[in-house]
Amino acid sequence: MVAYAVSGWSNTCPAATTSVEVVLDPCRDLERFLAGVERRAYKIAHIALRDAEDALDVVQDAMLQLARRYGGRPHEEWQPLFYRILRNRIHDFQRRRMVRNRVMAWLPGRRDEMETAPDPMEAVASTDPAPMERLQMSETMQALEEAVGALPRRQQQAFLLRNFEGLDVAATATAMGCSQGSVKTHYFRAVQVLKSRLGEFV
Amino acid sequence: MSDFEQRTQQLLRDSAEQLDARTRSRLTQARFTAVEAARRRSPLGAWRGWMPLGGVAAAVLAAVVWSGGWERGVPAIDSPVIATDVAQVGSPFDDLDLIAADESLEMMEELEFYAWLDTQPAVDGVNITG
């Protein structure tokens, strides 16, 4: 890799890697970070919003905001900042959806039949020769995701950031915008609820 | 971390790794878009944006210098072109000299007349140019 020495670089894409050399393209660190979190971020958004397109939109927005506003911050700050942005965007989506549903409920004859009608493809027998284990694993995953999705919002955030993403208490508190004590409480309650609901599955 | 927490973590992470190709592709596109946005904001990115224009300007400048465009008006030593022609079609540097000089521009324009006048003998003992 081509590298050259630069000092005093403090912009959107910060200097990185070693103390002696700075990589020619410092945006690579940002790309590497985003590549490392994007799938888990998508899952978190999907569990919270229960819609694949909305989840993708939210993750894309969060990535853009991180890159534009905080790309110049030290790398160790990126993870809590990214999840804080993601949490805010998810919250915005949920609020917007709630308002939209309220408005739609007042309009007569607005029930979309396509939304309620069963997908005919679901009735077709699967040709995938997946073993029984894979099916059970898939069902367990689905049960877990539904149970996490049904948690109160703050408990869900605390559980996903601590357990799924692996953030420590301090970083989770930064991402959630609350105290470390609140994080511990929300996480403890989330685990208790999930245990009671998924005892036989997990 | 308890066994239950470890199992849920593993399940969720497996689930994230098993995303379908379309979702993975969309995520990659989103990542590239974000990184490109960051790159455009960095000074290096800004320079990159101006690089093509700078290259074109440098090429044009090099072409002008190489073709001797600025030297066109300067005659060779043995050229029959007279001094006034040089003044009329001189190089941009000559123009700069004229503008910067303290002498009157009118005198510079009638240089040929003054050169002729200087060769004429004095009348009644008075040197006209003097």
Side-chain angles (χ1 to χ4, degrees):
Chain A
M1 182 184 291
V2 181
Y4 68 106
V6 171
S7 61
W9 180 278
S10 60
N11 288 284
T12 302
C13 292
T17 63
T18 70
S19 58
V20 179
E21 289 180 332
V22 171
V23 177
L24 182 62
D25 185 359
C27 287
R28 285 192 66 134
D29 288 332
L30 182 65
E31 184 174 358
R32 209 172 295 138
F33 166 76
L34 293 175
V37 297
E38 65 190 14
R39 293 185 189 189
R40 292 194 299 278
Y42 169 78
K43 287 302 290 186
I44 288 173
H46 190 251
I47 287 170
L49 297 171
R50 299 175 194 183
D51 183 277
E53 285 300 314
D54 288 352
L56 283 167
D57 286 348
V58 160
V59 172
Q60 179 165 3
D61 280 359
M63 285 179 172
L64 268 174
Q65 277 202 34
L66 180 82
R68 285 178 177 158
R69 292 189 180 182
Y70 304 107
R73 301 286 281 268
H75 299 180
E76 57 272 16
E77 291 182 17
W78 282 348
Q79 199 176 24
L81 281 170
F82 176 73
Y83 281 106
R84 186 162 189 164
I85 296 167
L86 187 73
R87 175 186 68 97
N88 289 338
R89 297 297 297 129
I90 289 171
H91 197 199
D92 287 348
F93 252 75
Q94 287 170 333
R95 273 189 303 194
R96 211 177 302 154
R97 188 185 284 171
M98 205 182 298
V99 171
R100 193 178 56 205
N101 289 344
R102 273 187 207 147
V103 171
M104 296 299 272
W106 281 93
L107 298 175
R110 285 293 303 166
R111 292 261 161 77
D112 192 346
E113 291 180 1
M114 288 300 287
E115 285 181 5
T116 53
D119 183 357
M121 290 302 287
E122 287 177 4
V124 179
S126 172
T127 56
D128 183 8
M132 202 62 188
E133 285 176 13
R134 190 168 164 184
L135 183 64
Q136 284 175 344
M137 185 69 83
S138 171
E139 285 176 354
T140 309
M141 272 183 193
Q142 195 175 344
L144 174 61
E145 286 181 17
E146 283 174 6
V148 174
L151 287 171
R153 190 163 55 87
R154 303 296 275 171
Q155 288 182 24
Q156 184 187 108
Q157 289 168 4
F159 181 79
L160 289 172
L161 291 174
R162 289 277 291 123
N163 184 279
F164 181 30
E165 184 55 32
L167 295 185
D168 60 22
V169 176
T172 306
T174 304
M176 289 179 63
C178 64
S179 69
Q180 295 188 23
S182 293
V183 169
K184 288 176 187 171
T185 305
H186 288 311
Y187 181 73
F188 176 77
R189 287 179 183 164
V191 171
Q192 295 306 308
V193 171
L194 291 175
K195 260 185 187 172
S196 67
R197 286 183 188 166
L198 297 167
E200 73 268 29
F201 278 103
V202 180
Chain B
M1 194 181 277
S2 67
D3 284 350
F4 176 80
E5 289 166 83
Q6 283 178 3
R7 284 200 300 277
T8 54
Q9 186 183 57
Q10 193 57 49
L11 274 169
L12 287 169
R13 289 190 173 176
D14 288 347
S15 168
E17 290 305 311
Q18 291 170 14
L19 290 178
D20 59 280
R22 182 180 164 277
T23 305
R24 289 203 306 268
S25 168
R26 292 277 302 274
L27 288 170
T28 304
Q29 286 174 19
R31 185 193 341 135
F32 286 164
T33 304
V35 171
E36 194 53 39
R39 191 168 281 144
R40 277 199 298 271
R41 283 175 58 89
S42 73
L44 188 62
W47 273 104
R48 278 183 187 153
W50 286 98
M51 272 180 182
L53 199 59
V56 170
V60 168
L61 185 64
V64 168
V65 170
W66 180 77
S67 64
W70 282 3
E71 301 294 330
R72 239 177 319 182
V74 180
I77 293 170
D78 57 351
S79 168
V81 178
I82 59 173
T84 50
D85 289 332
V86 175
Q88 285 168 6
V89 293
S91 73
F93 296 123
D94 295 338
D95 293 339
L96 280 174
D97 288 343
L98 281 175
I99 292 167
D102 290 329
E103 288 87 3
S104 164
L105 281 175
E106 286 178 17
M107 183 180 170
M108 299 299 285
E109 286 167 2
E110 296 177 0
L111 202 57
E112 191 180 8
F113 168 72
Y114 286 111
W116 168 81
L117 197 61
D118 196 40
T119 61
Q120 301 306 305
V123 179
D124 297 332
V126 178
N127 189 343
I128 296 172
T129 59

